[in-house]
Amino acid sequence: MKKIVLLGAPGCGKGTQSKFLVDRLNFFQLSTGDLLRDQTSNKNSKYGQQINLIMKKGDLVPDDLVINLIIEKIILLKNENIIFDGFPRNIKQAEVLDDSLENISMSLDFAILIDVDFKILEQRIENRIKETENHERRDDDNIETLLKRIEVYKTNTFPIIEYYKKKGILRNVDGMDTIDNVSQEILKIIN
Ligand code: AMP
């Protein structure tokens, strides 16, 4: 069973490409953003409100919270093809992911980086926000939060690229290409 990490800055198309893999290759999409949003809408969640505030600002939710949420899923989904979307987001999370997979005698097959030009990305984000109606947007889909999320990505998540390069499992795709071409490149890597 394949285990793949999709890496890339906010707005690079990770969510879209994860959904493609779900439809096309029966992958299970494990998105920490979705798991955290479930917590914010669950009134019984002890940390829901705290998580909501952090997400609205575009900061990272504390590692312990995210790691607890994801580890139980990894064990449950042991026998599925998994695409990790939005996790790991820092080196500590990357190490925990390796350890958790090792504990169930598995390892990552690839970390696929959807590579984008930050200047063009920021422009794309601004355009997308201007074109989208208010009620259709996520709480963290505004210019300030998205620019903050890009900064957080550069500081915390960018170093993971080197981490996976050293392990020999990093693959790059050109995220400035069309959605279809990016999907085809990802398929070539996985198959
Ligand atoms: P996403 O849906 O992946 O764009 O994530 C939305 C927000 O959820 C991020 O801006 C963070 O606040 C939080 N988040 C998602 N995944 C993680 C993670 N692995 N570690 C910490 N915070 C996360």
Side-chain angles (χ1 to χ4, degrees), residues 31-34 36-37 54-55 58-61 63 66 85-89 93 138 140 149:
S31 151
T32 39
D34 287 347
L36 290 165
R37 277 183 286 278
I54 297 171
M55 288 174 82
D59 280 325
L60 291 186
V61 172
D63 285 337
V66 179
D85 165 12
F87 183 88
R89 262 183 158 92
Q93 293 183 7
R138 264 166 46 176
D140 58 359
R149 273 153 44 93

Side-chain angles (χ1 to χ4, degrees), residues 117-162:
D117 178 310
F118 285 105
K119 280 262 157 333
I120 299 177
L121 184 68
E122 285 170 17
Q123 193 56 54
R124 260 196 204 170
I125 287 172
E126 288 181 15
N127 292 343
R128 193 181 76 198
I129 286 175
K130 279 183 206 139
E131 284 161 12
T132 318
E133 300 284 340
N134 271 337
H135 64 272
E136 288 172 6
R137 281 198 229 132
R138 264 166 46 176
D139 271 359
D140 58 359
D141 213 2
N142 58 67
I143 291 180
E144 298 87 79
T145 305
L146 277 159
L147 295 180
K148 167 80 183 175
R149 273 153 44 93
I150 291 179
E151 275 318 304
V152 168
Y153 174 83
K154 286 181 185 165
T155 313
N156 297 276
T157 314
F158 210 64
I160 303 182
I161 295 171
E162 205 49 44

Side-chain angles (χ1 to χ4, degrees), residues 16-79:
T16 308
Q17 296 301 338
S18 299
K19 289 200 175 60
F20 168 77
L21 291 174
V22 170
D23 294 342
R24 182 69 185 263
L25 295 182
N26 247 336
F27 267 79
F28 192 97
Q29 178 188 9
L30 204 41
S31 151
T32 39
D34 287 347
L35 294 176
L36 290 165
R37 277 183 286 278
D38 286 348
Q39 294 292 310
T40 63
S41 53
N42 174 357
K43 290 204 172 58
N44 298 321
S45 165
K46 196 169 158 196
Y47 299 107
Q49 276 191 329
Q50 188 191 342
I51 294 173
N52 192 23
L53 287 175
I54 297 171
M55 288 174 82
K56 269 190 183 160
K57 277 199 288 176
D59 280 325
L60 291 186
V61 172
D63 285 337
D64 290 353
L65 284 176
V66 179
I67 287 166
N68 278 339
L69 285 176
I70 199 142
I71 283 185
E72 56 183 82
K73 296 280 178 195
I74 291 174
I75 297 168
L76 279 174
L77 297 169
K78 180 177 183 211
N79 296 319

